Amino acid sequence: MELSGLGVWSSQLRYGDASEAADAAAELDELGFTALWIPDVGGPVLDAVGRLLTATKRTVIATGILNLWMHSPDDVAESYAALTAEHGDRFLLGIGVSHAPLIDAGNPGRYRKPLAATASFLDGLDAAAQPVPADRRVLAALGPKMLELSATRARGAHPYLVTPEHTASARATLGKGPLLLPEQTAILTDDADEARSIGTDWLRGYLAMPNYANNLRRSGFSDDDLSQVSDRLFDAIIVWGDEEAILRRVAEHQSAGADHVCVQVLEADPRSFPREQWRRLAAAS
């Protein structure tokens, strides 16, 4: 499984109406997107993977990411084996530790030693009756230690909420060989005020998560950038404009060392499937 080109990252494919998600996935497959990525913030994510695999013929279905605190390695390995037996080699298991405020909200103190927790989860996948191959899993990775684990215990890294500059740094840490599969958020509008209206509160939600905030500080953004959601920060994380502007940002990631970029399209209504925008990106790519 050598991912390249352009993919789609979508919460709607995961949490939207299941029938529309299947129909949209089938169209995205026909449009030529090489992977469809879905999040995991609760619920049976592997059931959703199965529905999307059933709806598609060629595209890779990837978890971006499977929250390791919410699953056991044995159950994940068993489901992975069943899904690949039924649908072939099209399931990429993205794994991550999520964020302390989310995990500790229901179980205070549970989120600790994220690097060790990730390594332990990978140990469990390796020891399962039907192990998940290391080259069929990637890790959510931002900092150097998790990136190094991505290179040694997985096929590579899936960074989220990052800039092309981070992609270049991540590639330097990973070295040649491991896959680097960043997410890029996009808003298809030429109106700066509309982009701000759609994206600011969405971005604030992520800036409240320490892992993302700390990574952006390492990337050179100040506390003022984060607290105010400065134009500099907004434009670095969210690309807005026409199709060509979005694809230029994708190309920047690729030039910096990304093998594959998954684009997350935001709309004013976060529940709606941005199908027209996906069609526009596919036609322009």
Side-chain angles (χ1 to χ4, degrees):
M1 186 188 296
E2 297 297 329
L3 278 181
S4 61
L6 192 64
V8 165
W9 196 105
S10 171
S11 61
Q12 295 88 350
L13 291 175
R14 170 69 178 89
Y15 290 108
D17 177 78
S19 178
E20 184 171 3
D23 186 65
E27 182 181 12
L28 291 167
D29 189 21
E30 291 296 325
L31 289 171
F33 290 101
T34 54
L36 307 181
W37 297 76
I38 59 171
D40 178 25
V41 290
V45 65
L46 296 173
D47 288 353
V49 169
R51 289 193 295 270
L52 294 175
L53 286 168
T54 298
T56 55
K57 298 177 181 178
R58 293 173 296 275
T59 191
V60 169
I61 306 301
T63 49
I65 48 74
L66 179 137
N67 189 323
L68 65 80
W69 306 102
M70 298 180 178
H71 306 272
S72 77
D74 284 342
D75 289 346
V76 171
E78 182 178 358
S79 293
Y80 176 89
L83 288 167
T84 54
E86 182 175 358
H87 299 285
D89 189 25
R90 291 195 294 120
F91 177 23
L92 181 64
L93 180 63
I95 304 162
V97 292
S98 188
H99 306 273
L102 298 178
I103 303 307
D104 286 348
N107 191 349
R110 187 181 184 195
Y111 187 99
R112 62 187 186 280
K113 297 183 178 179
L115 192 70
T118 304
S120 177
F121 195 88
L122 296 175
D123 290 343
L125 294 178
D126 290 341
Q130 294 178 284
V132 177
D135 64 356
R136 293 298 180 266
R137 60 200 194 200
V138 294
L139 304 182
L142 297 173
K145 291 182 179 179
M146 195 66 80
L147 285 164
E148 289 167 3
L149 194 67
S150 301
T152 58
R153 299 291 307 277
R155 185 65 183 87
H158 170 51
Y160 184 96
L161 211 77
V162 294
T163 64
E165 291 76 18
H166 181 275
T167 294
S169 175
R171 174 52 71 195
T173 300
L174 290 171
K176 295 181 180 179
L179 291 176
L180 181 53
L181 316 166
E183 174 270 349
Q184 174 62 59
T185 305
I187 302 173
L188 275 159
T189 179
D190 291 323
D191 186 317
D193 290 338
E194 182 182 11
R196 270 286 193 166
S197 175
I198 292 171
T200 298
D201 286 343
W202 177 91
L203 186 51
R204 284 190 190 279
Y206 285 106
L207 297 178
M209 301 294 109
N211 293 353
Y212 291 129
N214 290 336
N215 184 61
L216 290 168
R217 292 186 183 100
R218 284 194 299 267
S219 298
F221 295 97
S222 68
D223 287 341
D224 285 343
D225 286 321
L226 272 63
S227 63
Q228 299 172 16
V229 189
S230 68
D231 288 344
R232 172 175 172 255
L233 175 62
F234 187 96
D235 292 344
I237 294 297
I238 300 176
V239 59
W240 56 273
D242 60 12
E243 297 93 321
E244 285 70 26
I246 309 306
L247 294 177
R248 280 197 300 272
R249 178 67 63 84
V250 169
E252 290 175 15
H253 281 287
Q254 292 169 331
S255 295
D259 297 285
H260 164 90
V261 180
C262 48
V263 174
Q264 177 178 189
V265 175
L266 300 185
E267 286 191 304
D269 181 356
R271 298 166 299 179
S272 67
F273 288 74
R275 298 183 68 166
E276 182 56 36
Q277 290 91 329
W278 289 337
R279 292 172 190 139
R280 289 169 58 186
L281 286 174
S285 61

